[in-house]
Amino acid sequence: MTRPKQDDNKFKSFMQENVLTMATVIGVFVGGLVGFIIKNSTGEWTKREIMYISFPGEIFLRMLKCLIVPLLVSSITSAIGGLDLSMSSKIATRAITYYFVTTISAVILGICLVTTLRPGQGAKIVETQTESIDKASKVLTPDTLMDLVRNMFTDNIIQSTMFQHRTEIYENTSISPAQPMENWEFKAAQREGSNVLGLVMFSVILGTTIGRMREKGQLLQDFFTTLSEAMMTITSWVIWISPLGVGFLIAAKIIEMDSIASTIQSLGWYFITVMIGLFLHGFGTIAVIFFLGTRRLPYRFIAKLSQVLATAFGTGSSSATMPLTIKCLDNMGIDPRVTRFVIPVGATINMDGTALYEAVAALFIAQYREMSYSFGTIVAVSITATAASIGAAGIPQAGLVTMVMVLDTVGLEPKDVSLIIAVDWLLDRFRTTINVMCDALGTILVNHLSKNDLASVDRLNAEPHELLELGANGHEMKE
């Protein structure tokens, strides 16, 4: 009789721990199903009606986005401030090496797939032009790269919480004949949206400074640590509406999309190529890198990340998913000092899915335009796609803007980005999911590699009576 009771208790415990995860995953599927049913059983929906459907999801997304800036600044500052400079450098080096290797791997995989499958040959695409595409196409690659550096070194930290610097170019109509874009007038402008790169850079420097100040900086260290904990407490409240929010976001997006049959007919092979690339990268390349570093397969950890991945798919934003990712990794037993540094930085600069997508998209369009490209062009696409993915700072469909930079490398017209717009919203969600998964697995890997170093730091800073506890507990990953 004891065996059934034990099984009963295990089942109850499992359900209590995973009820929110299962509800979020169900929310994604129910939202998709409801969206398809409504789309196929009713007439055309107006933008206002779609806005009503997406309203609960919009509220959920706004709550998450509200947490990004205070959580990002407090997490990075407290994580680095709690370590000495040597330890911070080791963690940063391991994380950035991981980001670099996975991003380059994603780009190479994408290029191999698109040159092998050649999805652009014979594709029949209906070209569309929208105001957003027209605006996104009026950029120059040097301006984009310099804006990336300018945003990194912000001149106003308060302004960076709300705006990003952007160089805008415009044609001087008083001059004739028409001038090439390189000769257009330009001006500095502020684009709405947090300057995440600038906030990360400021937080890293501030955290390093607090760490060097030791006792003098303890008051500031305590403030940022407490702020980080407060943000995580709020996150634990917000995540309870994630099943509802994600479901409504997915349903609204499916109702909004154009004819599914015609989209698949025109961009089916392109969509399949990107999806194969994302799947192979997420469950192949990253799994191999993770196994080499930890001697463990990552799939059990991926299963524990189900709720985070479902939220990433629903919101289409790695930055908005960041509070949930940190919360989930905390529950898995990952050292908070690693989590609170690696995740915010990863959500900003580690965009594997975006890098793969942009490399595939550029060569797909070149194939569609029947334009030949050399090995040198492929190398240039690799470098530009990597740089562009860093510039896509965790906001939905940011890849569409940076895509223009990659097209310019191949010698294609910026307006050609309109060729892939029909499926961009859906691919954006899949690549965001891979980005978030890569960040989370990278954090677990860095935590594993830094375990002994962190234990040494803890022993140096511990009181005599705490040493026994440290020896008994350590920082082990929960499987």
PDB file of all heavy atoms in Angstrom, residues 81 206-218 220:
ATOM      1  N   GLY A  81      29.362  43.270  -9.084  1.00  0.00           N
ATOM      2  CA  GLY A  81      29.809  43.901  -7.841  1.00  0.00           C
ATOM      3  C   GLY A  81      30.084  42.903  -6.734  1.00  0.00           C
ATOM      4  O   GLY A  81      30.887  43.166  -5.828  1.00  0.00           O
ATOM      5  N   LEU A 206      29.681  49.987 -13.795  1.00  0.00           N
ATOM      6  CA  LEU A 206      29.267  50.328 -12.432  1.00  0.00           C
ATOM      7  C   LEU A 206      29.515  49.160 -11.477  1.00  0.00           C
ATOM      8  O   LEU A 206      30.032  49.346 -10.364  1.00  0.00           O
ATOM      9  CB  LEU A 206      27.785  50.719 -12.414  1.00  0.00           C
ATOM     10  CG  LEU A 206      27.197  51.114 -11.049  1.00  0.00           C
ATOM     11  CD1 LEU A 206      27.940  52.312 -10.455  1.00  0.00           C
ATOM     12  CD2 LEU A 206      25.704  51.432 -11.187  1.00  0.00           C
ATOM     13  N   GLY A 207      29.179  47.946 -11.904  1.00  0.00           N
ATOM     14  CA  GLY A 207      29.403  46.759 -11.078  1.00  0.00           C
ATOM     15  C   GLY A 207      30.871  46.537 -10.785  1.00  0.00           C
ATOM     16  O   GLY A 207      31.261  46.215  -9.652  1.00  0.00           O
ATOM     17  N   THR A 208      31.712  46.729 -11.812  1.00  0.00           N
ATOM     18  CA  THR A 208      33.162  46.585 -11.640  1.00  0.00           C
ATOM     19  C   THR A 208      33.688  47.613 -10.631  1.00  0.00           C
ATOM     20  O   THR A 208      34.516  47.298  -9.768  1.00  0.00           O
ATOM     21  CB  THR A 208      33.886  46.769 -12.995  1.00  0.00           C
ATOM     22  OG1 THR A 208      33.341  45.841 -13.944  1.00  0.00           O
ATOM     23  CG2 THR A 208      35.377  46.530 -12.861  1.00  0.00           C
ATOM     24  N   THR A 209      33.191  48.837 -10.737  1.00  0.00           N
ATOM     25  CA  THR A 209      33.606  49.911  -9.817  1.00  0.00           C
ATOM     26  C   THR A 209      33.215  49.591  -8.371  1.00  0.00           C
ATOM     27  O   THR A 209      34.024  49.748  -7.446  1.00  0.00           O
ATOM     28  CB  THR A 209      32.967  51.252 -10.236  1.00  0.00           C
ATOM     29  OG1 THR A 209      33.280  51.507 -11.598  1.00  0.00           O
ATOM     30  CG2 THR A 209      33.471  52.392  -9.376  1.00  0.00           C
ATOM     31  N   ILE A 210      31.970  49.128  -8.189  1.00  0.00           N
ATOM     32  CA  ILE A 210      31.498  48.776  -6.836  1.00  0.00           C
ATOM     33  C   ILE A 210      32.344  47.638  -6.254  1.00  0.00           C
ATOM     34  O   ILE A 210      32.697  47.649  -5.071  1.00  0.00           O
ATOM     35  CB  ILE A 210      30.002  48.386  -6.879  1.00  0.00           C
ATOM     36  CG1 ILE A 210      29.150  49.614  -7.188  1.00  0.00           C
ATOM     37  CG2 ILE A 210      29.560  47.764  -5.548  1.00  0.00           C
ATOM     38  CD1 ILE A 210      27.687  49.317  -7.465  1.00  0.00           C
ATOM     39  N   GLY A 211      32.685  46.668  -7.104  1.00  0.00           N
ATOM     40  CA  GLY A 211      33.523  45.550  -6.654  1.00  0.00           C
ATOM     41  C   GLY A 211      34.898  46.012  -6.186  1.00  0.00           C
ATOM     42  O   GLY A 211      35.435  45.501  -5.201  1.00  0.00           O
ATOM     43  N   ARG A 212      35.453  46.996  -6.878  1.00  0.00           N
ATOM     44  CA  ARG A 212      36.781  47.516  -6.517  1.00  0.00           C
ATOM     45  C   ARG A 212      36.735  48.388  -5.265  1.00  0.00           C
ATOM     46  O   ARG A 212      37.735  48.525  -4.560  1.00  0.00           O
ATOM     47  CB  ARG A 212      37.370  48.312  -7.682  1.00  0.00           C
ATOM     48  CG  ARG A 212      37.793  47.446  -8.869  1.00  0.00           C
ATOM     49  CD  ARG A 212      38.367  48.300  -9.989  1.00  0.00           C
ATOM     50  NE  ARG A 212      39.634  48.899  -9.599  1.00  0.00           N
ATOM     51  CZ  ARG A 212      40.824  48.350  -9.798  1.00  0.00           C
ATOM     52  NH1 ARG A 212      40.905  47.146 -10.351  1.00  0.00           N
ATOM     53  NH2 ARG A 212      41.922  48.961  -9.442  1.00  0.00           N
ATOM     54  N   MET A 213      35.583  48.984  -4.994  1.00  0.00           N
ATOM     55  CA  MET A 213      35.459  49.858  -3.819  1.00  0.00           C
ATOM     56  C   MET A 213      35.342  49.077  -2.504  1.00  0.00           C
ATOM     57  O   MET A 213      35.483  49.647  -1.429  1.00  0.00           O
ATOM     58  CB  MET A 213      34.232  50.767  -3.975  1.00  0.00           C
ATOM     59  CG  MET A 213      34.380  51.826  -5.051  1.00  0.00           C
ATOM     60  SD  MET A 213      32.849  52.733  -5.344  1.00  0.00           S
ATOM     61  CE  MET A 213      32.721  53.669  -3.814  1.00  0.00           C
ATOM     62  N   ARG A 214      35.038  47.781  -2.611  1.00  0.00           N
ATOM     63  CA  ARG A 214      34.917  46.877  -1.444  1.00  0.00           C
ATOM     64  C   ARG A 214      33.956  47.446  -0.398  1.00  0.00           C
ATOM     65  O   ARG A 214      32.800  47.679  -0.686  1.00  0.00           O
ATOM     66  CB  ARG A 214      36.297  46.589  -0.860  1.00  0.00           C
ATOM     67  CG  ARG A 214      37.226  45.897  -1.867  1.00  0.00           C
ATOM     68  CD  ARG A 214      38.516  45.461  -1.238  1.00  0.00           C
ATOM     69  NE  ARG A 214      39.392  44.865  -2.234  1.00  0.00           N
ATOM     70  CZ  ARG A 214      39.325  43.595  -2.632  1.00  0.00           C
ATOM     71  NH1 ARG A 214      38.415  42.792  -2.112  1.00  0.00           N
ATOM     72  NH2 ARG A 214      40.169  43.120  -3.539  1.00  0.00           N
ATOM     73  N   GLU A 215      34.430  47.717   0.847  1.00  0.00           N
ATOM     74  CA  GLU A 215      33.539  48.134   1.930  1.00  0.00           C
ATOM     75  C   GLU A 215      32.814  49.450   1.608  1.00  0.00           C
ATOM     76  O   GLU A 215      31.653  49.640   1.955  1.00  0.00           O
ATOM     77  CB  GLU A 215      34.310  48.303   3.254  1.00  0.00           C
ATOM     78  CG  GLU A 215      34.809  47.010   3.868  1.00  0.00           C
ATOM     79  CD  GLU A 215      36.089  46.516   3.199  1.00  0.00           C
ATOM     80  OE1 GLU A 215      36.696  47.305   2.423  1.00  0.00           O
ATOM     81  OE2 GLU A 215      36.462  45.351   3.420  1.00  0.00           O
ATOM     82  N   LYS A 216      33.507  50.376   0.939  1.00  0.00           N
ATOM     83  CA  LYS A 216      32.894  51.670   0.613  1.00  0.00           C
ATOM     84  C   LYS A 216      31.695  51.504  -0.329  1.00  0.00           C
ATOM     85  O   LYS A 216      30.754  52.294  -0.292  1.00  0.00           O
ATOM     86  CB  LYS A 216      33.928  52.590  -0.042  1.00  0.00           C
ATOM     87  CG  LYS A 216      34.966  53.143   0.931  1.00  0.00           C
ATOM     88  CD  LYS A 216      35.906  54.087   0.192  1.00  0.00           C
ATOM     89  CE  LYS A 216      36.971  54.651   1.132  1.00  0.00           C
ATOM     90  NZ  LYS A 216      37.922  55.535   0.408  1.00  0.00           N
ATOM     91  N   GLY A 217      31.770  50.497  -1.179  1.00  0.00           N
ATOM     92  CA  GLY A 217      30.686  50.295  -2.151  1.00  0.00           C
ATOM     93  C   GLY A 217      29.606  49.335  -1.683  1.00  0.00           C
ATOM     94  O   GLY A 217      28.683  49.026  -2.449  1.00  0.00           O
ATOM     95  N   GLN A 218      29.703  48.849  -0.440  1.00  0.00           N
ATOM     96  CA  GLN A 218      28.773  47.838   0.055  1.00  0.00           C
ATOM     97  C   GLN A 218      27.324  48.328   0.087  1.00  0.00           C
ATOM     98  O   GLN A 218      26.394  47.576  -0.203  1.00  0.00           O
ATOM     99  CB  GLN A 218      29.185  47.374   1.463  1.00  0.00           C
ATOM    100  CG  GLN A 218      28.465  46.115   1.950  1.00  0.00           C
ATOM    101  CD  GLN A 218      28.657  44.928   1.024  1.00  0.00           C
ATOM    102  OE1 GLN A 218      29.772  44.641   0.605  1.00  0.00           O
ATOM    103  NE2 GLN A 218      27.569  44.257   0.687  1.00  0.00           N
ATOM    104  N   LEU A 220      25.874  50.503  -1.963  1.00  0.00           N
ATOM    105  CA  LEU A 220      25.354  50.420  -3.329  1.00  0.00           C
ATOM    106  C   LEU A 220      25.107  48.963  -3.736  1.00  0.00           C
ATOM    107  O   LEU A 220      24.106  48.642  -4.392  1.00  0.00           O
ATOM    108  CB  LEU A 220      26.337  51.066  -4.313  1.00  0.00           C
ATOM    109  CG  LEU A 220      26.178  52.554  -4.587  1.00  0.00           C
ATOM    110  CD1 LEU A 220      27.285  53.035  -5.510  1.00  0.00           C
ATOM    111  CD2 LEU A 220      24.822  52.843  -5.223  1.00  0.00           C
TER     112      LEU A 220
END
